[in-house]
Amino acid sequence: MKTCGYDIIGDVHGHADKLDALFNRLGYVRSGIHWVPPPGRRAVFVGDLIDRGPEQLRVVDTVRAMIDAGHAHAVMGNHEFNAIAWATPDPDAPGAFLRRHSAKNLKLHAEFLRQVGEGSSRHNELIEWFKRLPPMLDLGGIRVVHAWWHQPLVDFVRASLQQHDTLDSEFLRRACKQGTQEFAAMEGLTKGQEIRLPDGCTFIDHAGVTRGVTRVRWWLDSATTFRDAAVVSDSQRMQIPDTRLPPELVIRPTPGTPVFIGHYWLSGTPQPLAANIACLDYSAARNGPLVAYRWNGETVLDKARFVLSE
């Protein structure tokens, strides 16, 4: 049987114009609200359909229509997960929500709430749809997750959700409580591996926030120091101590079937992060292009297969 070809698409963040441009470059044909792929192909979205961009509802409607027509798959990004938690009352704290309604959290989510109408029937219906997005997908020839494919976390979430086609209320409640297995699993899959910097060290991130933890370049097989391992820009890297990682934090890459991720706000010319790992987030939510990888069955990824919206 011929393997389906997949076009894996990075974080759209409500930029419907860039999604339209990318589909045109990929040879998709518009059919009403959605796009039809060339024969034998299917789109796969790595999550973060919402927040930041000007046409978030059009992006969601397009992706939903494509999934319903059998033309696409999508996984849950951290922004979809955060949207669910923002809208879900905390059963352990009357009057509160699973994601705190702080000024910091509101800033990240305000544009989506404005476009959808917070508390509207449309808002409530989209939250239920977000709950049905799988946190990860294994499609046979490829694996797709928003931030980190770590097999123990994948296995735990898969076992926890195997009886459901949605995030059930108890799993969701526990996934929003620090210290639980569910919290660690969803943090890892949708936000990535993080490590605390040694000796109280901090750095200032791209948003001007002082941080004492950093995401990890888990796809490397040669990171031995905190500076090597950190997911930061070149201008921030010298803020990270060049201290050797303790043995329990040594980075171990994910072998085997190709893995596609988003999340990391990369820049420059798209290329694989490792022979079997590619990130499709090249900062479309800022001034970067929306990026896809046109997978045709290969086990070693090829930089020539990246396609840009512009």
Side-chain angles (χ1 to χ4, degrees):
M1 184 174 69
K2 187 179 185 300
T3 301
C4 178
Y6 292 112
D7 299 315
I8 307 97
I9 297 171
D11 306 36
V12 185
H13 280 302
H15 285 271
D17 55 344
K18 293 184 180 182
L19 183 57
D20 291 344
L22 182 62
F23 278 141
N24 275 317
R25 291 210 167 187
L26 290 168
Y28 284 50
V29 176
R30 187 188 287 278
S31 175
I33 194 173
H34 72 286
W35 291 81
V36 178
R41 304 205 65 79
R42 194 170 295 165
V44 186
F45 294 87
V46 301
D48 280 6
L49 303 174
I50 63 166
D51 287 335
R52 294 188 169 91
E55 295 186 278
Q56 298 177 37
L57 300 187
R58 183 156 79 88
V59 168
V60 172
D61 288 345
T62 296
V63 174
R64 289 184 71 177
M66 293 181 71
I67 292 173
D68 290 346
H71 297 321
H73 302 281
V75 298
M76 182 184 297
N78 61 300
H79 282 265
E80 285 79 39
F81 183 72
N82 288 345
I84 295 166
W86 176 278
T88 303
D90 185 345
D92 300 324
F97 292 80
L98 291 179
R99 182 167 173 81
R100 195 160 65 90
H101 285 195
S102 65
K104 176 185 173 183
N105 290 342
L106 176 60
K107 182 178 179 181
L108 295 172
H109 196 42
E111 184 58 23
F112 174 74
L113 296 175
R114 186 192 70 80
Q115 291 181 31
V116 75
E118 185 172 9
S120 66
S121 58
R122 177 87 156 118
H123 184 206
N124 295 334
E125 192 269 335
L126 285 185
I127 294 301
E128 293 306 310
W129 184 74
F130 291 158
K131 289 180 182 178
R132 295 195 294 274
L133 292 172
M136 66 278 164
L137 279 173
D138 187 334
L139 296 172
I142 64 171
R143 296 172 287 179
V144 184
V145 69
H146 187 63
W148 183 26
W149 190 283
H150 184 54
Q151 199 61 49
L153 301 184
V154 168
D155 292 342
F156 173 77
V157 171
R158 184 177 287 144
S160 298
L161 299 179
Q162 65 182 349
Q163 303 299 323
H164 308 276
D165 62 356
T166 185
L167 293 185
D168 70 276
S169 58
E170 179 58 17
F171 180 91
L172 180 59
R173 183 187 72 83
R174 291 181 59 79
C176 293
K177 302 295 182 183
Q178 291 192 31
T180 67
Q181 286 183 282
E182 290 84 353
F183 180 88
M186 291 302 292
E187 284 281 301
L189 297 181
T190 67
K191 298 180 184 178
Q193 183 181 10
E194 289 190 336
I195 53 174
R196 182 162 296 280
L197 297 176
D199 304 322
C201 292
T202 62
F203 72 101
I204 300 174
D205 72 7
H206 64 274
V209 177
T210 300
R211 296 191 181 276
V213 298
T214 179
R215 292 174 184 151
V216 168
R217 297 194 284 178
W218 54 268
W219 49 85
L220 297 180
D221 60 4
S222 58
T224 58
T225 71
F226 285 89
R227 185 175 295 170
D228 292 339
V231 178
V232 292
S233 68
D234 290 342
S235 62
Q236 296 164 345
R237 192 162 301 282
M238 295 308 293
Q239 300 179 52
I240 307 298
D242 201 25
T243 306
R244 193 168 187 85
L245 290 167
E248 67 271 17
L249 293 180
V250 170
I251 309 304
R252 295 177 176 83
T254 299
T257 303
V259 174
F260 293 92
I261 58 175
H263 190 59
Y264 289 101
W265 297 89
L266 302 185
S267 60
T269 302
Q271 57 186 320
L273 300 174
N276 68 324
I277 300 171
C279 177
L280 286 313
D281 181 8
Y282 279 79
S283 305
R286 295 193 185 118
N287 297 316
L290 185 60
V291 174
Y293 184 92
R294 177 146 268 188
W295 183 79
N296 287 325
E298 66 274 13
T299 56
V300 176
L301 303 181
D302 182 353
K303 65 180 180 180
R305 296 194 183 277
F306 287 89
V307 180
L308 283 61
S309 62
E310 54 190 36

